Amino acid sequence: MNLKLLVAAIASVAPAAVLAQSINFGDDASQWSNDGECDDRRFRGAGMAQGLDRDDIGHDATDCRTGFDAGKLMIWDFAAAKAATQCSAINFGDDKSEWPNDGQCDDYRFDGPGADFVLLSEDIGHDASDCRQLCDLGQIAVRDY
């Protein structure tokens, strides 16, 4: 094998392996641990649970590590998400959530300092006023950017 190709191949794999080793996945203290879905809001991707609670951050290690190692999950980075989020292009929906106009975004599609403590998929598109305002203020960003 060509030395340049070998170096390039190692370089392309090494950052992901190094990143996985540097992540503190935590423990399995969540009541939702070991159910095949990651409940830790620090991650994003296809292996996420449909409900996310800040209490589960760092407490669903096995599910999150499994999803991460399989390439289904990535670290959610607020700064990167904020930079990629275009608030003016988002259809925020309506205010039919159980918790509209309370100053927190309850829509599962978003996270950040302005997001509610608990995010449920059933609230997608149903907290428009709060989410639009918080997005415009840079207090939330799209989870899957």
Side-chain angles (χ1 to χ4, degrees), residues 58-136:
H59 298 298
D60 196 13
T62 300
D63 291 332
C64 298
R65 179 182 289 280
T66 299
F68 186 86
D69 289 347
K72 293 180 179 180
L73 298 174
M74 296 159 270
I75 294 291
W76 187 76
D77 179 332
F78 179 64
K82 187 175 165 181
T85 298
Q86 296 179 15
C87 302
S88 62
I90 297 171
N91 178 356
F92 288 96
D94 56 46
D95 284 325
K96 293 181 181 177
S97 167
E98 190 173 337
W99 302 279
N101 301 305
D102 64 357
Q104 295 179 315
C105 179
D106 297 292
D107 190 321
Y108 181 89
R109 297 175 295 173
F110 305 96
D111 212 336
D116 193 52
F117 196 82
V118 175
L119 299 174
L120 302 173
S121 61
E122 62 201 46
D123 290 322
I124 292 174
H126 298 300
D127 195 17
S129 295
D130 287 332
C131 297
R132 182 179 294 111
Q133 180 181 21
L134 290 163
C135 190
D136 289 341

Side-chain angles (χ1 to χ4, degrees), residues 23-28 33-44 47-49 52 56-75:
I23 297 170
N24 178 357
F25 286 92
D27 57 42
D28 283 322
S33 63
N34 297 303
D35 65 355
E37 297 178 322
C38 178
D39 295 278
D40 188 331
R41 288 167 75 158
R42 296 178 299 163
F43 298 90
R44 67 181 180 96
M48 294 302 295
L52 301 174
D56 292 321
I57 292 174
H59 298 298
D60 196 13
T62 300
D63 291 332
C64 298
R65 179 182 289 280
T66 299
F68 186 86
D69 289 347
K72 293 180 179 180
L73 298 174
M74 296 159 270
I75 294 291

